Amino acid sequence: MIDQRNTSFEADDIGCNNSANTAFDSVLKTFLSRRGMLKGGVGTAATLLLGGALAACESDDDVAAPPPRTLELNFSPVAKSVADVLTVASGYTASVLYSLGDPLAAGVSNYMNNGGEGGTSFMQRSGDHHDGMEYFGLGANGRLDANSSTRGLICINHENITQIFLHAAGPTTVAGVRTVPDEVVKEINAHGVAIYEVARGTNGAMSLVRDSAFNRRITPNTAVDLAGPAAGSAFLRTLNSPTGAASRGTINNCATGHTPWGTFLTCEENWAGYFRRAAGDDATRGGSTARAVKALQRYGIAQGASGNYGWATATSTDPADRSFRRWDATQSGASADGSDDFRNEPNTFGYVVEIDPFNAASVPRKRTALGRLAHEAAAYGTPVQGQPITFYMGDDSRGEYVYKFVSAASWSAADAGNGLAAGDKYLNAGTLYAARFNGDGSGEWLPLTLANTALTGNTNYAFADLADICVNTRLAADAAGATKMDRPEWTAVHPRNGEVYVTLTNNSAAIRPVDKVDAANPRSYGAGGNVNGHILRLKETGGLGSATTFRWDIYLFGSPAAAAAATVNLSGLTDANDFSSPDGIWFDSQGVCWIQTDDSAYTSVTNCMMLAALPGTVGDGGARQVTNTVGAATGTITTQVGATPTANNLRRFLVGPKGCEITGIATTPDLKTMFVNIQHPGENT
Ligand code: FEO
Ligand code: CA
Ligand code: CA
């Protein structure tokens, strides 16, 4: 039932946590005595509109009802499918709202889907690979109206490209060199973010407002500011910004977030893969023990890397144009600080970037205080007047960590609507933490500060200052002793109880062999590793800002329904709700949890999907022993498992076409329209 994982390049799978920091340190110690000894070592991307009364309804259909009443799922589950179609639950309709290449300005021609458009035209067209997405209600005054379901702005990430579909005959590469610069311009511009207006027509359907003044593309070339502790530091100085105060654009934007004050957050994930670095660059920078080299290696930017799509090999017709050469991070200049080359260009990516969707002229700000990771979503804890604002974040690579940022400033509801100025107040100063999950269901937030002696006392990498921690966040979390996780993807906060959910999409046999499971990442099975992923949740045990401890359990384990209940199908999934590789997770305003998959392990049985769930609370299940066996290796670990889902609280709502990932979700405030992204359908066909 379980396919082997696709062995071709998959950017999300990159793992480079080679720290000595063990994944199972305290966890394993807790349970080692009870363990047995080991015996062995797209054609397109599209946003869909789903119409109908949405899947979860209050028992009396009053969607504006207060929290205490009971929710019910009232749709028939959609069957698993490998058909090359989109299927939604009976009674709902789906239509395409926004596809690759769609015009975002008046006078821009319709997309031809034959590679005929020029590269610069994508500055006014939809990018590729639709990913995370947020809906902001738009008022008649052009400002945020949180209750508007008739007019809104959608902010959407364009994470990546399927190169073959963008050009008439695929990309042109001669002897390793991109010889057609306009192809590269198009590929760069098809990345980034889009903001577009939608309006509800008289027929009730939402459509894109092509000539809206709010429509905007933010590409990897758009001017951006660097903000927070690392701004202006030597880490961020480049030929484009010798002061380190600014950079250009954003790339590989995966999941999203928004803020309590009404701005959009876009998160840079697999940015590291775009950089070329020449063979021999380690020696130029002082050798393998040099801090700069350790930093590059920790983020997976090895010397000799050619960079995704070979952009750095293209030559612009304009000698002053640095938009290609900036993707070559080789140290080539004579300066001490990197202000005469692009050796530091990778340090300008990997952030949560704040954008004001209501001001098309505003300059996006990279919030370095939230750390430099393969960022996934940034979900805030329920704001409390007079308390700090918290954001929960995952770092999606094999064996990376879960993080929390706590603002130094205390929340004032009067800041709502204040745009990037409010962001300056809450997102430029605070404390970043990494999570450690203990085997007994407790957890700790480990501060990534110079006051933490685990950081100052570590012998691997000497942190110079807070800017260093913000730029080299993974090294800081290594030193702090965070728990290596099975690829943290999205985070989400339950609106009714404030519990924090984290999808852990899957992991490989190399990172998660039987003898390196832990309570929070407890499975290694089949050919090894955690093939189907799981969803962890945590509950803070103190106040929002002050909590440095939490309780956790595993809400759901992805699994084929037919897999062994004692070892793999630990959540007792059935044919009506089995899934693999959870990625997107999002709560609607009523508390329905929507789960989206990005899978390649179960795709012989079903395409990727979206489920609706009504989760309970941390601790509603209990401790469970799991015995893992891979070949001759075996071991038993105790984990914490949530209550077994039922046919009433976990159902499959949607199955996508072949080859796609289901990702990105938003609704109008009235819950009558849902927006869902279908990323790279058919990319291998
Ligand atoms: Fe872009 Fe980790 O998904
Ligand atoms: Ca994702
Ligand atoms: Ca993914």
Side-chain angles (χ1 to χ4, degrees), residues 388-437:
I389 297 287
T390 58
F391 283 88
Y392 299 91
M393 304 171 288
D395 182 358
D396 181 13
S397 287
R398 294 172 182 158
E400 294 300 342
Y401 310 123
V402 173
Y403 294 84
K404 172 171 82 164
F405 174 78
V406 179
S407 68
S410 296
W411 172 239
S412 168
D415 287 323
N418 283 351
L420 297 176
D424 288 343
K425 176 177 176 182
Y426 295 105
L427 297 179
N428 283 350
T431 304
L432 189 60
Y433 298 86
R436 181 185 184 103
F437 296 87

Side-chain angles (χ1 to χ4, degrees), residues 267-324:
C267 306
E268 298 176 326
E269 188 191 14
N270 290 311
W271 47 272
Y274 292 83
F275 288 96
R276 175 184 184 273
R277 198 154 75 87
D281 190 50
D282 282 359
T284 307
R285 295 183 188 236
S288 61
T289 60
R291 281 172 11 109
V293 174
K294 284 187 174 181
L296 285 158
Q297 289 175 343
R298 187 62 184 82
Y299 286 87
I301 308 172
Q303 65 174 353
S306 57
N308 298 348
Y309 314 122
W311 291 345
T313 66
T315 301
S316 176
T317 52
D318 176 2
D321 177 12
R322 300 164 180 156
S323 62
F324 301 149

Side-chain angles (χ1 to χ4, degrees), residues 34-299:
R34 280 175 263 168
R35 290 167 59 98
M37 290 300 290
L38 297 180
K39 294 174 182 170
V42 197
T44 64
T47 298
L48 291 179
L49 276 171
L50 301 180
L54 277 175
C57 292
E58 299 286 355
S59 51
D60 66 356
D61 286 333
D62 180 0
V63 295
R69 296 184 306 155
T70 304
L71 291 165
E72 297 173 6
L73 299 179
N74 67 353
F75 63 89
S76 299
V78 172
K80 288 171 280 191
S81 170
V82 291
D84 197 15
V85 296
L86 178 100
T87 309
V88 295
S90 177
Y92 298 83
T93 59
S95 59
V96 175
L97 172 69
Y98 170 76
S99 296
L100 165 67
D102 279 354
L104 289 171
V108 178
S109 61
N110 288 334
Y111 187 53
M112 297 184 288
N113 199 25
N114 64 6
E117 290 84 7
T120 56
S121 113
F122 273 78
M123 295 169 69
Q124 294 182 303
R125 295 183 181 277
S126 164
D128 203 354
H129 281 223
H130 301 24
D131 209 299
M133 173 172 57
E134 306 281 334
Y135 175 92
F136 296 87
L138 179 61
N141 61 356
R143 306 285 298 268
L144 174 68
D145 176 355
N147 296 315
S148 176
S149 293
T150 56
R151 189 181 176 210
L153 299 179
I154 287 182
C155 300
I156 180 171
N157 285 343
H158 292 294
E159 184 186 34
N160 206 333
I161 56 173
T162 300
Q163 204 177 18
I164 187 102
F165 295 129
L166 288 175
H167 313 299
T172 308
T173 303
V174 178
V177 174
R178 297 298 303 274
T179 53
V180 182
D182 193 63
E183 290 181 357
V184 178
V185 171
K186 187 187 297 186
E187 292 172 18
I188 292 172
N189 284 335
H191 285 74
V193 168
I195 297 167
Y196 62 89
E197 181 178 341
V198 290
R200 196 180 294 282
T202 53
N203 64 353
M206 281 287 197
S207 60
L208 190 157
V209 182
R210 187 182 289 196
D211 60 354
S212 170
F214 293 97
N215 293 355
R216 181 181 188 188
R217 280 299 317 284
I218 294 163
T219 75
N221 290 323
T222 303
V224 300
D225 288 332
L226 298 168
S233 71
F235 296 101
L236 301 182
R237 292 176 195 156
T238 68
L239 186 55
N240 278 341
S241 179
T243 66
S247 184
R248 306 270 170 94
T250 185
I251 203 162
N252 209 271
N253 306 78
C254 190
T256 58
H258 63 277
T259 64
W261 50 94
T263 57
F264 173 64
L265 300 177
T266 181
C267 306
E268 298 176 326
E269 188 191 14
N270 290 311
W271 47 272
Y274 292 83
F275 288 96
R276 175 184 184 273
R277 198 154 75 87
D281 190 50
D282 282 359
T284 307
R285 295 183 188 236
S288 61
T289 60
R291 281 172 11 109
V293 174
K294 284 187 174 181
L296 285 158
Q297 289 175 343
R298 187 62 184 82
Y299 286 87

Side-chain angles (χ1 to χ4, degrees), residues 12 396 487 489 583 598 661:
D12 287 353
D396 181 13
R487 295 184 54 200
E489 292 256 16
D583 187 335
D598 174 15
E661 163 186 352

